[in-house]
Amino acid sequence: MRKAEYIWIDGTKPTPQLRSKTKILYDEGQPPVWGFDGSSTNQASGESSDCVLNPVFTCKDPIREGNHLLVLCEVLNTDMSPHQTNTRRGCVKACEDHLDKEPLFGMEQEYTFYKDGRPLGFPEGGMPAPQGPYYCSVGATKAFGRTIVERHLEACLRAGLRVSGINAEVMPGQWEFQIGPVDGIKVADQIWVARWLLERIAEDYDVDVSYAAKPVKGDWNGAGCHTNFSTKEMRDNPEEGYSYILAAAGSLGENAKHHIENYGADIEERLTGDHETCAHDKFRYGVSDRGASVRIPWQVADEGKGYLEDRRPNANCDPYVVARLIIQTICGEKRGF
């Protein structure tokens, strides 16, 4: 007997939420398709409410442990066609269309812990000291929520996710984990599972997880999901790799408006031109420039090969959409825009 936690992405707008429920498996086969009430998740009407959960990514359940599973699912209609909220299928197609480019991603997921209606570290009825000492901090007056962060990291590792690091971010109560380098489908699948694990673990502390683009108005950093990307030509060719990177940055600039429109809700509140951002209505790239839309790390410029970092996606972005758009834009596939 195994417990399988079926996880899926709902139809809430403008930012989808995660849902999950448990199925008991009495055999050792693969988790089967299952169903749910789409009228309760903003994915169907009451008179035709059935939707289908199709397993697409399975890993160990690090919370229940033992032989129990986490089962990430895509949502289908009852005729087995992709539901209109299913953004994974488009990402799969983009990845398959450009397998020859061997695209790799690393996503840096920022988030903010909330308790009693305010970020952790924010005093009741006031503001903490200005940002500055909190990034990559240590100490009880600067780092807030570390117990949850460490539990989450261990859970991701036990689940077999390709987590590559964690750090405290610029605002109190704000943290980041990174997934990658892996391909576009894996990075998006694993970001969603890691988000679910984070929210589930935070439950135990009566703490909420916010992916809001600008969790606190004023002189505070927003929350992003900076996305690192490379193709085989960009990372493996020391003579021409840098020219491919510059061409990729140029292509992102040519399609900047479309990307901004699909990189998460309230992106204008975060991409103001301040707080380590380029304004949402402008585009520029530069070496080691954290105020650019796209940053080229100094090591990449020095070695003449590597990757670029798209700093525009919000913390509340859909990673399937981000990965699809970057592949389509940089690898030359415009269908699906």
Side-chain angles (χ1 to χ4, degrees):
M1 182 274 292
R2 297 176 293 168
K3 299 171 187 173
E5 192 70 15
Y6 278 56
I7 302 166
W8 73 98
I9 302 143
D10 77 2
T12 301
K13 294 181 179 180
T15 301
Q17 299 178 15
L18 285 161
R19 309 280 183 137
S20 71
K21 61 177 182 171
T22 306
K23 186 175 184 64
I24 306 301
L25 305 177
Y26 288 97
D27 57 48
E28 294 302 315
Q30 293 298 310
V33 296
W34 201 15
F36 70 96
D37 171 18
S39 68
S40 297
T41 63
N42 302 302
Q43 289 169 298
S45 59
E47 63 273 11
S48 181
S49 65
D50 287 340
C51 292
V52 177
L53 295 174
N54 182 42
V56 292
F57 175 76
T58 302
C59 64
K60 296 177 181 178
D61 185 338
I63 296 174
R64 288 171 169 150
E65 299 184 319
N67 64 347
H68 306 302
L69 302 174
L70 299 180
V71 182
L72 180 67
C73 300
E74 65 174 352
V75 177
L76 305 179
N77 300 306
T78 54
D79 63 1
M80 300 298 130
S81 63
H83 190 273
Q84 63 180 354
T85 61
N86 182 340
T87 57
R88 188 180 190 273
R89 284 293 180 94
C91 185
V92 169
K93 185 178 189 309
C95 290
E96 290 177 345
D97 285 347
H98 297 287
L99 285 175
D100 60 315
K101 302 291 186 182
E102 299 181 24
L104 290 179
F105 287 85
M107 288 189 171
E108 307 171 21
Q109 176 69 69
E110 295 178 349
Y111 58 89
T112 308
F113 286 136
Y114 268 77
K115 186 162 184 155
D116 300 325
R118 60 185 183 275
L120 288 186
F122 276 61
E124 185 175 2
M127 286 284 180
Q131 60 185 31
Y134 309 109
Y135 172 70
C136 293
S137 60
V138 62
T141 62
K142 298 182 287 293
F144 307 94
R146 189 182 297 278
T147 299
I148 303 172
V149 170
E150 291 290 342
R151 274 194 60 191
H152 177 248
L153 174 60
E154 288 301 316
C156 287
L157 292 171
R158 290 199 305 273
L161 305 185
R162 186 62 164 84
V163 61
S164 53
I166 58 170
N167 59 267
E169 267 303 329
V170 176
M171 193 181 82
Q174 194 176 75
W175 294 79
E176 172 184 296
F177 65 85
Q178 302 100 31
I179 298 287
V182 288
D183 67 39
I185 289 301
K186 288 180 181 176
V187 75
D189 284 346
Q190 293 187 30
I191 285 284
W192 280 115
V193 171
R195 285 176 176 178
W196 184 91
L197 282 168
L198 181 62
E199 295 185 48
R200 171 60 187 84
I201 291 168
E203 275 185 25
D204 294 344
Y205 301 86
D206 294 322
V207 167
D208 190 34
V209 179
S210 170
Y211 303 106
K214 188 73 172 179
V216 178
K217 303 296 189 288
D219 194 20
W220 300 99
N221 274 31
C225 188
H226 302 156
T227 300
N228 303 288
F229 177 81
S230 70
T231 61
K232 181 177 175 60
E233 292 94 340
M234 292 164 65
R235 62 180 176 267
D236 291 347
N237 191 332
E239 294 183 0
E240 298 181 6
Y242 198 62
S243 65
Y244 284 107
I245 292 167
L246 294 180
S251 294
L252 290 172
E254 291 171 7
N255 294 279
K257 183 174 184 294
H258 184 67
H259 283 245
I260 289 293
E261 291 170 349
N262 289 277
Y263 272 5
D266 302 319
I267 198 165
E268 296 85 358
E269 294 182 8
R270 173 175 154 261
L271 299 185
T272 62
D274 297 320
H275 306 108
E276 300 183 84
T277 71
C278 186
H280 63 89
D281 57 351
K282 295 180 172 58
F283 181 91
R284 77 170 192 269
Y285 64 85
V287 175
S288 198
D289 185 355
R290 294 184 183 275
S293 311
V294 170
R295 180 180 71 95
I296 299 171
W298 69 267
Q299 303 99 316
V300 172
D302 186 58
E303 295 176 6
K305 62 178 182 177
Y307 66 97
L308 55 74
E309 176 194 39
D310 191 339
R311 297 180 56 79
R312 298 170 297 168
N314 274 351
N316 59 16
C317 71
D318 181 340
Y320 293 128
V321 172
V322 171
R324 173 179 65 82
L325 288 176
I326 289 176
I327 290 174
Q328 288 176 333
T329 295
I330 291 178
C331 297
E333 178 58 75
K334 300 300 189 292
R335 292 195 311 274
F337 267 34

